[in-house]
Structure formats: structure tokens, C-alpha cells
Amino acid sequence: DKMQSIMDEFRKNPPAEFGGKKVLSVTDYAKPEETGLPKANVLIYQLEDNATVVVRPSGTEPKIKTYFTTTGKDLAEATAKKDELAEALKPVFA
């Protein structure tokens, strides 16, 4: 129930930013009419600076999973940006 309430909250009140990066768009895979793909409980947030945050419940464990894509001049910079996003999300899932 907690996982579904977190996902519902992300849908009802989408964040305006993650880790100081503005959310430019949200793709909700629960809406196949918008994605053209089968329905899924997945949200993808496109951020400025070419970053994305993917939020979905685990299919095998009672937890929410997040995935990040970031870019940088090198791997260290991209990893640092990913770590900033991960830290920004920790309070949401606490």
C-alpha cells in the first residue's frame, strides 16, 4: 500500500524539480494512449541538463526503484550528478 501511495503522490503532485534540476516533462506509462506502449506503473521525469529520473515499484520486493541517466564531461562528473539526484530523492522514500 505504501508503494502505491508513493506512486499515486508522484502522479497527483509531480515534483517541479529533483536535486535543483527543473522537471521539463513527465511520461506516465500508466497511460498507454500517450506512450503507445502497454500500461505499466512507471514514471519518467525528463530534467534539464539531459538528465532523467525513472520511478517504478519493484516487481519482486516491497520497494520503489529509481534509475537515473546523467551526462557529464567524464564519468566522474556524470556519477556525481547521479549521486546528487539520488540524495535529493532519499527524503521522498523515507
Side-chain angles (χ1 to χ4, degrees):
D1 288 339
K2 183 172 182 175
M3 288 189 328
Q4 190 56 49
S5 69
I6 290 170
M7 294 301 291
D8 289 344
E9 185 62 26
F10 269 107
R11 284 189 169 92
K12 288 181 207 169
N13 299 302
E17 58 91 23
F18 288 104
K21 296 186 186 315
K22 182 179 173 185
V23 173
L24 301 178
S25 66
V26 180
T27 303
D28 186 350
Y29 283 79
K31 299 176 181 178
E33 66 278 6
E34 292 179 15
T35 65
L37 297 169
K39 185 175 180 177
N41 195 7
V42 177
L43 295 165
I44 299 180
Y45 296 88
Q46 181 66 47
L47 311 180
E48 59 188 352
D49 196 23
N50 270 342
T52 60
V53 174
V54 179
V55 180
R56 72 170 186 85
S58 171
T60 58
E61 301 171 284
K63 64 182 178 181
I64 300 283
K65 292 189 172 191
T66 54
Y67 303 89
F68 307 96
T69 60
T70 55
T71 57
K73 67 179 188 288
D74 56 26
L75 180 58
E77 183 178 275
T79 299
K81 289 179 180 182
K82 183 266 305 172
D83 292 342
E84 288 173 18
L85 290 172
E87 281 299 315
L89 278 164
K90 278 185 179 179
V92 175
F93 300 119

